[in-house]
Amino acid sequence: MNEETFPGPIQIPVTTANEWEQRYIDDSAVEDSKKKVKAFLIPKESLKKVLDLNTEAVWAYLGINDQKEKTLLFVGANYDPATKKWINVYGIGEGDGEVGGGDVVYDGARPSPPF
């Protein structure tokens, strides 16, 4: 990813999001304070897409993307009174290719540092 193409693809297939989340969970590296992520720059389009799901809440999962950058993955959430749990609500992928018509979560966040 680079600044010229920000935010890049914001629709991430659920299977890819699960891989990124697992990378974050499995990451046991101690962070150098100079590299520790302090904030995320989030494109308005990602927030709009997840808010357009018209859910009661939004999950923000932590993940590590294919460029080895920490990222936030946005997923809608509705409370299920029968199970007393928050249930993920995914978007529907637009266009062709990997995300077209499938379940997606929303990304596009840039960690700071380095961005």
Side-chain angles (χ1 to χ4, degrees):
M1 292 184 200
N2 61 53
E3 293 309 292
E4 289 78 31
T5 60
F6 178 79
I10 64 165
Q11 295 185 80
I12 308 299
V14 171
T15 54
T16 300
N18 290 337
E19 289 173 21
W20 291 5
E21 183 184 2
Q22 192 61 50
R23 278 187 208 156
Y24 187 80
I25 291 168
D26 294 342
D27 184 27
S28 61
V30 176
E31 290 183 282
D32 179 316
S33 63
K34 294 177 187 170
K35 295 180 182 177
K36 186 176 279 188
V37 173
K38 297 179 222 151
F40 288 90
L41 178 64
I42 303 164
K44 182 170 93 174
E45 183 180 0
S46 293
L47 294 177
K48 182 173 178 349
K49 290 280 189 185
V50 76
L51 292 174
D52 284 349
L53 295 174
N54 201 25
T55 57
E56 298 172 53
V58 175
W59 290 107
Y61 290 97
L62 291 166
I64 296 177
N65 65 23
D66 295 338
Q67 289 75 40
K68 309 290 187 243
E69 300 167 338
K70 289 184 180 166
T71 191
L72 294 175
L73 303 162
F74 299 106
V75 180
N78 282 327
Y79 186 73
D80 181 357
T83 63
K84 298 184 179 178
K85 294 181 180 180
W86 287 91
I87 306 300
N88 288 345
V89 176
Y90 302 112
I92 304 295
E94 299 168 357
D96 298 325
E98 191 177 18
V99 298
D103 288 343
V104 296
V105 302
Y106 300 99
D107 180 37
R110 289 283 201 282
S112 174
F115 298 98

